[in-house]
Each structure stands twice: as C-alpha cells, then as structure tokens.
Amino acid sequence: MPYCYILYSPSKNTYYIGFTQTDLTERIFKHNSGFYDKTYSSYCNDWILYLSIECVDASQAMKIEKHIKRMKSKVYIENLKKYPEIVVRLLKSYKST
C-alpha cells in the first residue's frame, strides 16, 4: 500500500516528508540506519513516524507529498495531525483518475 509519510526528528526538531510504495516500517528503518546516504534524512538517526497517509496509489502519494512540501510550514504539518479533516480533503483533492 502506498503512503505519504511525515517523520519527526526530536534531536533536530525537524520534519521529513516522503512517500513509499513499500513497507512503511522498513522505510523508517532505512532512514534511521543511514541507508539514504547524503540525503536530508541522513543527517538524523532518530526519525519517528509523525503521520502516515494511506493512499490508493503511488501517484496520489507523490502528489500529496509535493503539496505538503510546497507549503513549507511546520504549522501546516502539525495541523495535518491536529485536524484530520485536512488529510481527508487532501485525499479527495488528489484522487487518482
């Protein structure tokens, strides 16, 4: 099942937004183990899952990921968790056709 996901690093107080078509737990493990060398996520090894959004396909997951990244806002990311109706609207807005 594809996911758009947001990770949080307590040590850096920062978020990472990504998407995956594979197992989410394995993906987080890879981020924390340095598998993605010299990428933004490789500068922390304490990533925890902040939010995951289950999508119908990879296209929808990528579109939602890009939307969240374009917002460039920690407040927006925190509001996604605080107000689940925002996620519902995103899923409807980026329906696959």
Side-chain angles (χ1 to χ4, degrees), residues 7-51:
L7 304 178
Y8 176 72
S9 168
S11 66
K12 300 285 186 183
N13 189 29
T14 192
Y15 294 96
Y16 175 83
I17 302 118
F19 89 96
T20 185
Q21 297 182 65
T22 59
D23 180 44
L24 192 53
T25 304
E26 180 183 333
R27 185 72 165 211
I28 296 166
F29 174 79
K30 286 181 177 181
H31 282 292
N32 284 324
S33 67
F35 181 82
Y36 302 109
D37 189 35
K38 297 183 182 180
T39 63
Y40 179 79
S41 70
S42 69
Y43 296 104
C44 302
N45 63 359
D46 63 341
W47 294 110
I48 56 172
L49 182 63
Y50 182 77
L51 180 71

Side-chain angles (χ1 to χ4, degrees), residues 50-74:
Y50 182 77
L51 180 71
S52 65
I53 302 170
E54 189 175 322
C55 299
V56 294
D57 59 26
S59 174
Q60 184 184 41
M62 283 189 285
K63 289 174 185 174
I64 292 173
E65 174 200 21
K66 287 180 185 179
H67 170 84
I68 296 169
K69 286 180 175 179
R70 276 194 312 266
M71 298 305 287
K72 296 183 180 184
S73 169
K74 281 187 175 183

